[in-house]
């Protein structure tokens, strides 16, 4: 685990530099701050900035030189004691241009602001759409235009939006800051226009410089498009802090919190609990004891459906319901052996009931995923595993209390769905470095794919030797494992980030504080579910 974390930390340090040290120095020569420096000045001193999507675009767009963190940084940080979503373009990465995944990341930022009713701050410094990939970012429902649609929707919901124009803001991207509640612009570096000087000349033959076209003086004193003219980045960020400090307060969701206590065991001991081999069993109770207050839980149906643990607990004082896959091999009272990580009919039924209870009691849910799927075979099918599994999936889908998911190890097949995977709208979803996300395990998938390949060759009258079969199996498995890696998931925003297990309590607590900011929980209706 420590090795995995060291490797991730090394990758993270590279990503923090965006387009590199020289590009940052160039920004400084223009009297501009790097986006990460801007965020550090914006948030409260020594406070925790929970970054979302650090590894976005990792390994993608290599033919264009890559796009570290997709050219946009976002996360949740405190501004004068208030949790805010902060989005900042990284001008050192293709001048802050938007790649397709950048759009997805910005939509995720807005989604978090909407779901948790958090103010959102945009630090705009972008050349607009990355034109070589415009067809993957411009016209579809979840593309560029959706961001401006969300600006309008958030405005109608009363979610504060403040935008700072700290660099270029061009074409369609110009709508984002101007559709916000208030817009600040920095003299000498900020500019906003629907068409830059080159396009204006091409379109209507007018010769004009960008500053005269849409600079700070133009929009603060002539057009009235912006609300505040700032001398530099530092003044701009301090003004945002002052504006946030004066925002009104609304009621919260009312999730229960008391003074928290530390677990009896250090969180870092999780490193030694999780095995390197994902197929090996371990005791999930041991992991839970490292993250809950006082290492205490009130377990629901402890003797029934033992392949899933359901329990009420507290994390940093917050009341929470935990749904976790048990990875040891357990024995039922009927003498049946239950393999760790597999969801059986009784555990699915228990999980569904517990989720409904948490909704009834207004208790947020934490899913700890290490699941290889639902039980298969004639006995399971005859026992109605599909129906029981559907109960749990139904309960997860219709749950209205905030759901937080952490993928601890395996996350395969329909088990991913039942344990609140990305498709089931968790408020936040993270992965440990040991996570593996795929339709099935690498060994099983590789053997299936190999058998299909052998069958195809057999029809052609060809036959593979044992050595050729082994080589092909390894090639398929290596290829499959690459796509199941948590970095692959994080690069595509299937998860919000890869986290250090020792930070679990801090991150879950931060997520719950954000979730508590939204008082408007819909009424729970489980739908058609037979319990």
């Amino acid at each position: 685990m420590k090795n995995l974390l060291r490797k991730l930390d090394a990758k993270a340090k590279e990503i923090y530099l965006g387009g590199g040290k020289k590009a940052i120095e160039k920004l400084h020569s223009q009297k501009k701050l790097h986006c990460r420096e801007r965020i550090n000045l914006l948030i409260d001193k020594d406070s925790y900035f929970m970054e979302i999507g650090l590894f976005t675009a990792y390994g993608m767009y290599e033919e264009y030189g890559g796009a570290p963190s997709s050219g946009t940084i976002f996360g949740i940080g405190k501004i004068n004691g208030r949790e805010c979503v902060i989005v900042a373009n990284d001008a050192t990465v293709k001048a802050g241009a938007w790649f397709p995944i950048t759009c997805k990341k910005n939509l995720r930022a807005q989604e978090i602001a909407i779901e948790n009713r958090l103010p959102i701050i945009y630090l705009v410094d972008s050349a607009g759409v990355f034109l070589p990939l415009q067809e993957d970012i411009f016209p579809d429902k979840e593309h560029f235009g959706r961001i401006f649609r969300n600006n309008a929707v958030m405005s109608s919901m009363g979610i504060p939006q403040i935008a700072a124009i700290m660099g270029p803001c061009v074409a369609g991207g110009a709508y984002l800051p101007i559709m916000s509640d208030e817009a600040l612009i920095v003299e000498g570096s900020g500019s906003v226009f629907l068409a830059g000087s080159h396009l204006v000349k091409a379109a209507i033959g007018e010769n004009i410089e960008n500053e005269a076209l849409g600079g700070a003086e133009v929009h603060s004193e002539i057009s009235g498009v912006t609300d505040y003219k700032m001398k530099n980045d530092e003044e701009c960020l301090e003004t945002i802090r002052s504006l946030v400090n004066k925002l009104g307060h609304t009621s919260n969701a009312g999730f229960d919190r008391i003074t928290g206590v530390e677990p009896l065991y250090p969180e870092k001991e999780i490193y030694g609990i999780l095995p390197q081999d994902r197929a090996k069993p371990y005791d999930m109770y041991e992991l839970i004891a490292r993250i809950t207050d006082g290492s205490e839980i009130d377990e629901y149906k402890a003797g029934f459906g033992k392949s899933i643990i359901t329990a009420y607990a507290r994390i940093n004082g917050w009341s929470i319901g935990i749904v976790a896959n048990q990875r040891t091999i357990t024995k039922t009272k009927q003498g049946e052996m239950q393999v760790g990580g597999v969801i059986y009919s009784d555990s699915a039924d228990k999980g569904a009931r517990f989720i409904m209870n948490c909704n009834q009691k207004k208790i947020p849910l934490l899913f700890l995923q290490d699941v290889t799927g639902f039980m298969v075979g004639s006995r399971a099918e005859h026992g109605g595993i599909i129906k029981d599994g559907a109960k749990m999936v139904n309960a997860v889908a219709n749950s209205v209390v905030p759901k937080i998911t952490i993928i601890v190890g395996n996350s395969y097949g329909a088990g991913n769905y039942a344990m609140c995977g990305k498709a089931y709208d968790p408020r936040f979803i993270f992965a440990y470095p040991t996570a593996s996300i795929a339709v099935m395990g690498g060994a099983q998938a590789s053997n299936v794919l190999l058998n299909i390949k052998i069958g195809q060759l057999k029809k052609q009258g060809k036959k593979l030797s044992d050595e050729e079969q082994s080589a092909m199996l390894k090639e398929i498995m290596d290829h499959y494992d690459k796509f199941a890696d948590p970095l692959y998931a994080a690069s595509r925003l299937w998860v919000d980030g890869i986290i250090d297990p020792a930070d679990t309590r801090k991150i879950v607590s931060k997520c719950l504080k954000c979730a508590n900011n939204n008082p408007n929980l819909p009424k729970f209706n489980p739908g058609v579910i037979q319990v």
Side-chain angles (χ1 to χ4, degrees), residues 90 232 344:
D90 189 342
N232 50 44
Y344 292 80

Side-chain angles (χ1 to χ4, degrees), residues 85-107:
V85 175
I86 303 167
V87 187
N89 299 119
D90 189 342
T92 68
V93 179
K94 301 292 188 295
W98 289 53
F99 289 79
I101 197 71
T102 316
C103 187
K104 184 176 181 179
K105 188 171 181 177
N106 277 264
L107 288 171

